[in-house]
């Protein structure tokens, strides 16, 4: 190496170390008064306006780490009691159940818990749903009418649907639905349903959005997804060619899953206050109206276009049980869905 | 090679192995190996929490099937990437191809394309209802293109975006080849092709093997391409374990299997090195011979252009198409500029540190081969064999227990990057150490210098090219890193990769296009700068 080359490399190294040190200062995650640290599986895009309002109203600074819900749950479990996070805000009940199982949640106050109906919170009172998501059948409204669709989600095993179905077998919310199917209708029904759908040669997608877009692009006619993906697209474009079909009451197809939050060990009063804030009327209205999800606090109306939550009869099911996914994964593999 | 030159070289190799490493080097090597093997320690700790569950995961048909599928994909990708890289290395290194330096940069850039972006671009371009389908449907009435989803898609995409991992080591090795062997072969009247296969290829074997191992490990740990192409691979299963069932034990058991496969691969690679030879001459560098392409250069340029079309222009064109569809007003440029600065700082520091750490490991492996040196080398590959999430969680585990103050600081993130990417540097540095004749150091020692001093004054300058290539490879790979960044970065520290992620995770591919293009735009001049010092 020529001397000037070596010099360049050396100075580059020194420079980058200096810069690193400079950026490292002030980046510590010390728990502090006037600050709440959140791990959020919910996307920045959707919740940033809410966070701004919270900071403005309370003067408490919000620090958020965004990530995939399940990966954040795994991170919290590895961090254990040393977790710098005070609140875990997850996209689905299963991830909350996993953190709860690791014993890393503080109990929530009965005041907070009583804001939402029992079916949308943990049975042990350690986490609470903040908004609801319905499983629906998205269909191509140019080709089909609601009356063309079977009454129950179980009817899609009919050969008439061959080659017309889209689904996302690796997606968390789909797997939660299959778990619900197993718990509500029994293993045998769930197995037969999966086998029937597989026999209909569905197209597999990675997520709900891809299913919706594929229906819009006429690649498939129907797909199993969460309601708000369709609702959001409809809100942007009144002529959007995909509509949602809510299966009949009591069917496992009518599963309402939740996004929810829990306070982690070592969280302070500000953490508890933040969770209460998510259940305030105004925040609930935001979830219902802006994000097209369901508000969970009774009396807060969601998007008027949606089938009201109160008229979707939840299958008899404890959402905490949705974390039991091993059986579901086995079933998905055995039936060739995965 | 078997005729004449072989035996002399083997003698040199045996002489090299009889020496003992300086104690300082051993200590440094041991510390590095320990640090790089942290993910392995974490996996063992996790698996031993529930051994029966782990054994159940490892010992079943489903897992065997996954291993078979992943190994199949790995072999296909590695072979294809190598076949692409060899001619590119030769054309840009040893011929009078017009614009060689530019072609080299262009040929290396696909490494910067995150594999999920590449895969997504390929599906948008060539998938069912993709752009090509639309174009062909009109005049040719093509109803449906053959689907690239699954194995073909994963194979094509991974080959196109990993061949630079072979290209750079081979290119570096070529520039320091011993021209005497070539001359000897030419004098014996062999055709250029025979010269290449008999005198050049054997000398390149270690570099090819080093690059091929990197491609193989990349294929094994990649999640982006296989998930978008819906190819059921090992890593997809590991992610499924975390994401769907919160099953840490299952994920850790499968990860341990990945480490085992890695050890086999690195062992095989080591075998090619045993057979390899050192420079035989006195080491006086002579400019390697440059082949005149003549009218063949049109074919050469055509080949490179075709490669660039698929590996670079297609993804860039799709990105530009998306970018034009995003609302220019909604782009927060200041945020993107900050993120770009963070990306360069982070991957730049990681690249320099990784390349520096690779030097002692490579010197140990080549100059002082022993069980200790071999295991230092092998264990340093742990991070690159594993999906980013596993390495990140391992460091979460250790940092929150041992060095809480460092948790979620940039220093820990840089350390994670070094653990993840150091094999990229080790490969090229090792190749260049191998090309320096140990006789040079021996000569220096006879003048009374210490072993360390001999390494420093004689070997170091001669391996500079390899070190610089190592910096380049780590930089290009680290700048797109996502899973470890998401988990280990200080809160609020955004990089280009996290910007892309936060846009695409809510389905705004248009908005993810701008930071993706910036990623390429930032990498290109960095690459030129690094290679310009060759």
């Amino acid at each position: 190496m020529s001397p000037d080359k070596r010099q360049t490399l050396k100075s580059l190294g020194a420079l980058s170390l200096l810069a690193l040190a400079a950026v490292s200062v002030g980046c510590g995650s010390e728990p502090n008064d006037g600050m709440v640290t959140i791990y959020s599986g919910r996307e920045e895009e959707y919740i940033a306006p809410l966070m701004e309002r919270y900071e403005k109203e309370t003067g408490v600074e919000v620090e958020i780490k965004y990530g995939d819900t399940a990966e954040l749950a795994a991170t919290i479990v590895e961090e254990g009691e040393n977790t710098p996070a005070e609140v875990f805000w997850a996209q689905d009940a299963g991830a909350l159940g996993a953190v709860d199982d690791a014993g890393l949640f503080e109990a929530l106050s009965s005041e907070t818990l009583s804001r939402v109906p029992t079916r949308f919170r943990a049975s042990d009172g350690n986490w609470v749903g903040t908004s609801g998501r319905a499983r629906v059948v998205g269909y191509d409204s140019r080709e089909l009418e609601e009356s063309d669709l079977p009454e129950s989600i179980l009817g899609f095993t009919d050969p008439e649907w061959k080659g017309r179905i889209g689904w996302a077998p690796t997606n968390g919310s789909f797997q939660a639905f299959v778990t619900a199917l197993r718990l509500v209708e029994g293993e045998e029904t769930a197995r037969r349903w999966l086998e029937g759908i597989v026999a209909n040669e569905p197209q597999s997608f990675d997520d709900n959005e891809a299913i919706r877009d594929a229906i819009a692009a006429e690649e498939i006619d129907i797909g199993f997804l969460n309601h708000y993906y369709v609702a959001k697209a409809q809100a942007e474009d009144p002529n959007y060619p995909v509509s949602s079909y809510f299966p009949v009451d009591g069917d496992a197809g009518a599963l309402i899953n939740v996004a929810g939050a829990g306070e982690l060990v070592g969280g302070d009063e500000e953490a508890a206050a933040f969770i209460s804030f998510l259940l305030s009327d105004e925040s609930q209205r935001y979830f219902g109206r802006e994000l097209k999800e369901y508000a969970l606090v009774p009396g807060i109306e969601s998007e008027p276009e949606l089938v009201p939550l109160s008229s979707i009869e939840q299958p008899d099911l404890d959402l905490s049980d949705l974390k039991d996914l091993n059986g579901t994964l086995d079933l998905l593999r055995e039936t060739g869905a995965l | 090679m078997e005729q004449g030159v072989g035996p002399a070289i083997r003698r040199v190799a045996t002489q090299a192995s009889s020496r003992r490493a300086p104690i300082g080097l051993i200590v440094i090597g041991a510390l590095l190996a320990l640090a790089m093997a942290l993910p392995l320690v974490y996996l063992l700790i996790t698996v031993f929490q529930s051994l029966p569950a782990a054994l159940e995961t490892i010992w079943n048909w489903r897992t065997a099937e996954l291993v078979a599928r992943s190994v199949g994909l790995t072999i296909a990708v590695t072979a294809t990437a190598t076949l692409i890289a060899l001619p590119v290395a030769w054309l840009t290194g040893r011929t009078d191809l017009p614009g060689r330096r530019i072609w080299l940069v262009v040929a290396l850039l696909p490494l910067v394309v995150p594999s999920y972006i590449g895969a997504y671009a390929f599906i948008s371009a060539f998938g069912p209802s993709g752009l090509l389908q639309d174009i062909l449907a009109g005049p040719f009435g093509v109803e449906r293109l053959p689907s690239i989803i699954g194995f073909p898609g994963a194979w094509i995409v991974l080959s196109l975006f990993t061949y630079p991992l072979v290209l750079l080591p081979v290119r570096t090795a070529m520039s320091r080849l011993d021209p005497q062997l070539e001359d000897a072969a030419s004098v014996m009247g062999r055709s250029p092709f025979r010269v290449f296969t008999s005198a050049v290829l054997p000398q390149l074997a270690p570099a090819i093997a080093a690059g091929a191992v990197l491609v193989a490990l990349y294929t094994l740990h990649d999640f982006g391409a296989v998930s978008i192409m819906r190819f059921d691979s090992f890593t997809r299963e590991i992610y499924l374990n975390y994401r769907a069932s919160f099953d840490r034990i299952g994920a850790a058991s499968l990860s341990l299997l990945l480490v085992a496969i890695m050890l086999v691969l690195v062992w095989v690679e080591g075998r090619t090195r045993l057979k390899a030879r050192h420079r035989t001459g006195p080491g006086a560098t002579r400019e390697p011979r440059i082949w005149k392409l003549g009218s063949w250069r049109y074919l050469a340029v055509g080949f490179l252009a075709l490669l660039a079309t698929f590996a670079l222009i297609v993804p860039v064109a799709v990105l530009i198409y998306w970018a034009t569809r995003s609302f220019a007003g909604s782009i927060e440029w200041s945020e993107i500029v900050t993120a770009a600065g963070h990306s360069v700082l982070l991957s730049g520091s990681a690249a320099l540190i990784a390349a520096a750490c690779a030097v002692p490991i490579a010197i140990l492996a080549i100059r002082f081969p022993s069980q200790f040196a071999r295991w230092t080398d092998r264990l340093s590959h742990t991070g690159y064999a594993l999906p980013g999430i596993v390495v990140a969680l391992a460091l979460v585990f250790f940092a929150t227990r041992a060095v809480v103050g460092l948790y979620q600081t940039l220093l820990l993130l840089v350390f994670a990057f070094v653990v993840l990417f150091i094999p990229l540097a080790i490969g090229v540095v090792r190749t260049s150490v191998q090309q320096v004749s140990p006789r040079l150091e021996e000569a220096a020692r006879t003048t009374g210098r210490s072993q360390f001093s001999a390494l420093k004054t004689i070997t170091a300058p001669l391996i500079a090219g390899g070190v610089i290539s190592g910096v380049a490879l780590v930089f290009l790979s680290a700048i797109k890193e996502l899973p470890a960044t998401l988990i280990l970065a200080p809160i609020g520290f955004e990089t280009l990769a996290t910007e892309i992620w936060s846009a695409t995770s809510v389905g705004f591919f248009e908005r993810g296009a701008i930071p993706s293009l910036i990623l390429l735009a930032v990498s290109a001049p960095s690459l030129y700068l690094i290679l310009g010092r060759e």
Side-chain angles (χ1 to χ4, degrees):
Chain A
M1 200 163 14
S2 67
D4 66 314
K5 249 185 215 174
R6 204 178 308 171
Q7 209 50 49
T8 319
L9 270 184
K10 268 186 192 161
S11 37
L12 264 177
L15 257 179
S16 64
L17 276 181
L18 265 179
L20 262 186
V23 184
S24 290
V25 175
C27 279
S29 47
E30 288 289 302
N32 222 328
D33 278 331
M35 188 187 275
V36 57
T37 306
I38 298 162
Y39 281 7
S40 169
R42 308 220 53 184
E43 292 95 354
E44 180 171 17
E45 176 74 22
Y46 299 141
I47 65 169
L50 205 58
M51 298 302 101
E52 269 168 39
R53 191 159 63 77
Y54 184 71
E55 289 191 324
K56 210 179 278 171
E57 280 176 13
T58 61
V60 173
E61 198 187 322
V62 180
E63 281 211 319
I64 308 192
K65 176 174 273 302
Y66 293 98
D68 172 83
T69 291
E71 285 172 26
L72 287 175
T75 305
I76 292 170
V77 171
E78 292 302 353
E79 288 169 343
E81 311 226 321
N82 282 329
T83 179
E86 296 171 277
V87 173
F88 178 36
W89 193 6
Q91 294 260 39
D92 79 303
L96 292 163
V99 171
D100 196 12
D101 273 358
L104 294 171
F105 277 141
E106 304 269 13
L108 291 170
S109 74
S110 55
E111 209 177 316
T112 303
L113 289 170
S114 61
R115 292 280 290 165
V116 305
T118 34
R119 61 172 168 146
F120 298 130
R121 61 188 204 219
S123 39
D124 63 2
N126 281 349
W127 57 262
V128 62
T130 51
S131 57
R133 300 123 169 254
R135 289 298 293 181
V136 298
V137 178
Y139 64 94
D140 185 342
S141 53
R142 291 160 297 194
E143 305 253 328
L144 294 166
E145 294 193 12
E146 211 162 284
S147 57
D148 299 328
L149 304 172
E151 265 194 12
S152 163
I153 189 133
L154 300 177
F156 285 102
T157 53
D158 192 288
E160 78 163 297
W161 296 102
K162 191 162 194 162
R164 301 166 70 187
I165 301 175
W167 68 354
T170 59
N171 182 270
S173 50
F174 173 78
Q175 291 173 350
F177 151 73
V178 175
T179 311
L181 196 65
R182 287 171 50 224
L183 297 174
V184 176
E185 310 279 348
E187 292 286 333
E188 222 13 71
T189 311
R191 176 186 297 274
R192 259 184 286 121
W193 185 75
L194 284 170
E195 284 168 352
I197 299 291
V198 169
N200 274 340
E201 295 168 10
Q203 281 198 46
S204 295
F205 297 89
D206 247 28
D207 55 34
N208 288 292
E209 250 135 6
I211 296 178
R212 179 197 66 194
D213 295 346
I215 301 174
E218 296 185 89
E219 285 176 44
I220 46 175
D221 289 334
I222 67 118
F224 308 123
L225 36 68
N226 286 349
H227 79 275
Y228 49 88
Y229 292 100
V230 177
K232 256 184 256 163
Q234 284 173 328
E236 274 170 32
D237 173 9
N239 296 321
Y240 195 72
V242 183
S243 297
S244 288
Y245 169 61
F246 289 73
V248 290
D249 295 348
D251 197 281
L255 172 71
I256 306 282
N257 202 338
V258 296
E263 181 187 339
L264 291 158
V265 285
D268 51 17
E269 277 164 27
E270 281 150 358
F274 178 81
I275 296 177
S276 308
F277 167 78
L278 296 179
L279 298 175
S280 68
D281 291 1
E282 214 176 335
S283 305
Q284 287 290 302
R285 226 168 273 133
Y286 176 80
F287 295 135
R289 289 296 170 90
E290 301 294 323
L291 300 189
K292 317 291 180 201
E293 298 178 298
Y294 281 107
L296 294 182
V297 171
I300 307 293
E301 277 178 32
S302 303
E303 190 68 15
E305 306 277 308
L306 296 176
V307 176
L309 196 55
S310 51
S311 67
I312 302 177
E313 195 186 310
Q314 177 85 339
D316 188 21
L317 176 75
D318 183 345
L319 284 181
S320 303
D321 292 339
L322 292 183
K323 67 175 181 294
D324 167 36
L325 270 165
N326 277 330
T328 301
L329 283 182
D330 288 343
L331 197 60
L332 288 171
R333 284 175 192 136
E334 285 163 23
T335 55
L338 267 182
Chain B
M1 47 160 186
E2 297 305 338
Q3 302 110 324
V5 279
I9 293 157
R10 287 218 185 86
R11 260 201 313 282
V12 179
T14 30
Q15 279 168 12
S17 63
S18 61
R19 295 179 304 167
R20 293 257 318 266
I23 187 77
L25 199 57
I26 291 181
V27 172
I28 293 172
L31 286 176
L32 285 173
L34 195 66
M36 300 307 142
L38 278 180
L40 179 58
V41 178
Y42 157 82
L43 291 176
L44 291 172
I45 292 175
T46 309
V47 162
F48 276 103
Q49 283 168 8
S50 172
L51 209 49
L55 287 177
E56 201 181 310
T57 308
I58 293 175
W59 197 254
N60 72 45
W61 269 114
R62 159 102 187 141
T63 306
E65 208 178 289
L66 278 173
V67 172
R69 292 169 68 88
S70 282
V71 168
L73 179 69
T74 303
I75 291 171
V77 170
T78 309
T80 314
T82 307
L83 287 178
I84 297 175
L86 282 180
V88 179
W90 186 74
L91 286 171
T92 59
R94 301 295 302 277
T95 68
D96 62 347
L97 183 83
R100 290 193 287 161
R101 179 68 52 78
I102 303 278
W103 278 120
L104 180 62
V105 172
V106 168
L108 285 171
L109 267 182
L111 192 56
V112 190
V113 180
S115 62
Y116 61 95
I117 295 274
Y120 208 90
F122 256 72
I123 290 203
S124 323
F126 306 116
S129 77
L131 294 172
L132 184 68
Q133 171 85 56
D134 287 353
I135 295 167
L136 293 182
F140 305 105
V142 176
E143 287 276 315
R144 203 167 191 102
L145 286 169
S147 172
I148 59 164
I149 299 290
F151 180 87
W155 172 46
I156 296 169
V157 167
L158 283 168
S159 303
L160 281 178
F161 297 109
T162 57
Y163 76 81
L165 293 174
V166 184
L167 171 57
L168 204 49
V170 172
R171 177 72 173 51
T172 309
M174 264 184 190
S175 64
R176 294 201 50 80
L177 278 188
D178 186 351
Q180 291 179 6
L181 287 179
E182 272 171 84
D183 294 349
S186 294
V187 168
M188 286 158 75
R190 293 185 179 166
S191 70
F193 181 74
R194 291 272 292 136
V195 172
F196 185 77
T197 51
S198 65
V200 180
L201 213 49
Q203 291 193 84
L204 290 179
I208 296 171
V213 161
L214 297 178
V215 172
L217 295 180
Y218 185 103
T219 309
L220 284 173
H221 82 216
D222 172 75
F223 175 65
V226 292
S227 88
I228 288 183
M229 290 299 177
R230 297 177 224 148
F231 179 76
D232 201 7
S233 79
F234 220 75
T235 301
R236 192 161 176 252
E237 181 73 9
I238 290 174
Y239 270 79
L240 217 58
N241 269 280
Y242 281 124
R243 288 194 174 164
S245 53
F246 311 100
D247 180 4
R248 296 155 63 235
I249 310 282
S253 325
L254 294 176
S255 302
L256 269 183
L257 270 185
L258 270 186
V259 175
I261 297 175
M262 175 277 282
L263 287 174
V264 173
L265 283 171
V266 177
W267 176 78
V268 171
E269 189 242 54
R271 305 287 302 173
T272 69
R273 220 182 309 139
L274 280 185
K275 290 195 215 135
R277 45 225 47 128
H278 297 273
R279 247 182 122 80
T280 47
T285 18
R286 185 144 63 77
E287 278 305 308
R289 175 167 173 190
I290 296 291
W291 296 85
K292 299 248 182 298
L293 284 175
S295 52
W296 285 100
R297 68 174 178 274
Y298 299 108
L299 193 68
V301 168
F303 164 70
L304 290 171
L306 190 71
L307 182 63
T309 303
F310 284 101
L312 198 58
I313 296 176
V314 164
V316 169
V318 171
L319 287 173
I320 290 175
Y321 172 71
W322 281 336
T324 55
R325 282 181 22 180
S326 67
F327 305 97
S330 67
I331 295 161
E332 299 196 25
W333 285 102
S334 65
E335 215 174 88
I336 293 183
V337 170
T338 313
H342 286 168
S343 286
V344 171
L345 168 70
L346 187 59
S347 35
S349 332
L352 289 172
I353 295 172
C357 294
V359 173
I361 296 175
I363 289 181
L364 270 173
I366 300 298
R367 283 290 180 270
F368 310 101
S370 62
Q371 281 302 337
F372 169 73
R374 271 188 283 280
W375 280 99
T376 303
D377 181 47
R378 284 174 196 160
L379 288 178
S380 303
H381 284 69
T382 312
Y384 200 64
L386 293 170
I389 174 89
V390 178
V391 175
L393 288 176
L395 295 183
V396 168
F397 179 85
F398 287 113
T400 50
R401 279 161 185 76
V403 282
V404 184
L406 280 184
Y407 187 52
Q408 291 184 358
T409 64
L410 273 188
L411 284 177
L412 187 68
L413 186 54
V414 169
F415 176 69
F417 274 26
V418 173
V419 173
L420 278 166
F421 299 116
I422 195 170
L424 296 167
I426 294 176
V428 273
V429 174
R430 212 171 39 199
T431 310
S432 56
V433 173
Q434 191 151 29
Q435 288 179 319
V436 178
S437 167
R439 287 187 186 165
L440 285 177
E441 285 159 31
E442 281 155 19
R445 294 203 66 194
T446 58
T447 66
R449 286 172 193 269
S450 69
Q451 183 111 49
F452 179 74
S453 161
L455 284 171
K456 189 180 161 204
T457 51
I458 307 297
T459 313
L462 291 172
I463 62 172
V467 175
I468 288 168
S469 297
V471 172
L473 274 183
V474 175
F475 179 81
L476 295 178
S477 305
I479 200 163
K480 64 183 177 185
E481 204 288 331
L482 180 66
T485 312
L486 278 180
I487 289 176
L488 293 173
I491 287 179
F493 184 85
E494 308 276 356
T495 66
L496 288 172
T498 65
E499 289 282 326
I500 298 170
W501 171 80
S502 57
T504 50
S505 66
V506 286
F508 295 135
F509 287 98
E510 294 87 352
R511 215 181 297 165
I514 303 271
S516 306
L517 286 170
I518 306 267
L519 193 71
L520 281 163
V522 171
S523 309
S526 321
L527 193 57
Y528 197 84
L529 215 69
I530 295 167
L531 294 175
R533 314 210 117 260
E534 250 188 7

